[in-house]
Amino acid sequence: MSKIYHWFNSGGRRAKHTGRNARAPSVPLHRPQDFPAMRRAGRLAAATLAMIAPLVREGATTRALDAACESFIRDHGARPAPLGYQGYPFATCMSPNEVVCHGMPDDRPLAAGDLLKIDITVELDGWHGDCCRTFAVGEIDVRRRLLMEVTEAALAAGIAAVRPGGRLSAIGRAVQELVEVAGFSVVRSYCGHGIGREFHQPPQVLHHLDEDRDLTLLPGMFFTIEPMVNDGGHATRRLDDGWTVVTADGGLSAQFEHTVGLTEGGVEIFTQPRAA
Ligand code: MF3
Ligand code: CO
Ligand code: CO
């Protein structure tokens, strides 16, 4: 996920609600012939999560899980996109418990009751697939289970809000509504992003409602939806390592992410898990 940037950058003026996309950053519109490559990249990212799922258990270290993901990605002819991205030193992001995102693999053995977000981005033949799931380590309590289920439902609600010709803000509206009705909060300082030949590109996909940062969704747009949901306040803090983002209040956080593409008729999920 990317840090929120200023959407409208001409003299700090904000667009009117009625404004079109005049001052929004330009969003790449991909061609139908670009979809097959995104399908391949997305499928590999999803397969990496499916591969690692049974290895997420008590005693495993996130460093070992990261190494297993990197081998799998390379064995399939791809490259882990995070490695070297703005200096990030690992192949994947591994974010336990109160870590919201951009957690770095380490040597602490996972313990029963931990939540672990694993975020995989592959670059295959120059195209990116990006997805994340929250895993439960051993038995988890009912509150953690609820947090996970609400977050996965929030991703589904965000995807269901995508409509060619519709508005980007419909996504944030749907996600925020679902999360807050359930009594949790949605992170505002990080968001989903356009993706394709670049790992991160416009548009920014907010998971809360902000009609000042809106645009019309069009066929050929590729982006991620990746709500981060906190059991507590939505505020985050970045640690001194320059990467790790944690909840400001120490509450637990969950995340699910898919990469999607807009067609004339609707939305295609590129990172859908599939039967082998
Ligand atoms: N995969 C993350 C996302 O969903 C980005 C990780 S960037 C990194 O956008 F540098 F931390 F790897
Ligand atoms: Co992403
Ligand atoms: Co990601």
Side-chain angles (χ1 to χ4, degrees), residues 1 119-121 130-132 193 199-200 224 226 255 257:
M1 57 301 318
D119 191 335
I120 301 291
T121 314
D130 187 6
C131 55
C132 173
H193 49 92
F199 188 171
H200 293 113
T224 71
E226 48 180 302
Q255 184 183 28
E257 174 177 25

Side-chain angles (χ1 to χ4, degrees), residues 147-264:
L147 176 65
M148 284 178 65
E149 287 179 357
V150 166
T151 308
E152 192 163 17
L155 170 56
I159 294 170
V162 174
R163 200 168 48 74
R167 301 293 279 172
L168 181 67
S169 59
I171 298 169
R173 187 193 304 272
V175 169
Q176 182 176 14
E177 167 91 18
L178 188 143
V179 167
E180 293 182 357
V181 162
F184 297 117
S185 69
V186 65
V187 167
R188 299 175 188 200
S189 44
Y190 294 85
C191 58
H193 49 92
I195 186 168
R197 288 195 177 278
E198 301 290 330
F199 188 171
H200 293 113
Q201 63 190 17
Q204 290 206 313
V205 180
L206 274 54
H207 303 110
H208 63 286
L209 181 62
D210 182 349
E211 286 170 315
D212 288 338
R213 301 166 63 93
D214 215 353
L215 50 74
T216 299
L217 297 175
L218 296 173
M221 288 184 177
F222 295 163
F223 53 79
T224 71
I225 304 177
E226 48 180 302
M228 290 143 273
V229 175
N230 296 349
D231 187 2
H234 68 76
T236 63
R237 184 168 67 82
R238 198 173 62 173
L239 300 187
D240 290 338
D241 62 23
W243 284 105
T244 312
V245 178
V246 298
T247 54
D249 59 13
L252 292 166
S253 191
Q255 184 183 28
F256 287 81
E257 174 177 25
H258 275 312
T259 298
V260 306
L262 268 81
T263 61
E264 297 285 340

Side-chain angles (χ1 to χ4, degrees), residues 75-205:
D75 287 349
H76 288 80
R79 198 184 70 78
L83 189 62
Y85 180 80
Q86 295 183 4
Y88 185 78
F90 292 97
T92 68
C93 293
M94 298 271 171
S95 305
N97 299 323
E98 78 288 355
V99 180
V100 171
C101 62
H102 304 168
M104 291 191 284
D106 66 17
D107 295 312
R108 180 183 72 87
L110 294 172
D114 282 341
L115 294 185
L116 179 66
K117 285 81 75 186
I118 301 184
D119 191 335
I120 301 291
T121 314
V122 306
E123 182 189 341
L124 179 62
D125 300 329
W127 294 86
H128 293 80
D130 187 6
C131 55
C132 173
R133 300 189 65 80
T134 302
F135 296 93
V137 180
E139 289 293 310
I140 57 169
D141 63 31
V142 69
R143 183 83 188 163
R144 288 165 198 242
R145 179 66 55 194
L146 181 66
L147 176 65
M148 284 178 65
E149 287 179 357
V150 166
T151 308
E152 192 163 17
L155 170 56
I159 294 170
V162 174
R163 200 168 48 74
R167 301 293 279 172
L168 181 67
S169 59
I171 298 169
R173 187 193 304 272
V175 169
Q176 182 176 14
E177 167 91 18
L178 188 143
V179 167
E180 293 182 357
V181 162
F184 297 117
S185 69
V186 65
V187 167
R188 299 175 188 200
S189 44
Y190 294 85
C191 58
H193 49 92
I195 186 168
R197 288 195 177 278
E198 301 290 330
F199 188 171
H200 293 113
Q201 63 190 17
Q204 290 206 313
V205 180

Side-chain angles (χ1 to χ4, degrees), residues 9 29 42-43 54 69 87 111 122 165 171 179 237 271:
N9 48 17
L29 294 180
R43 201 175 298 148
C69 289
V122 306
I171 298 169
V179 167
R237 184 168 67 82
T271 45

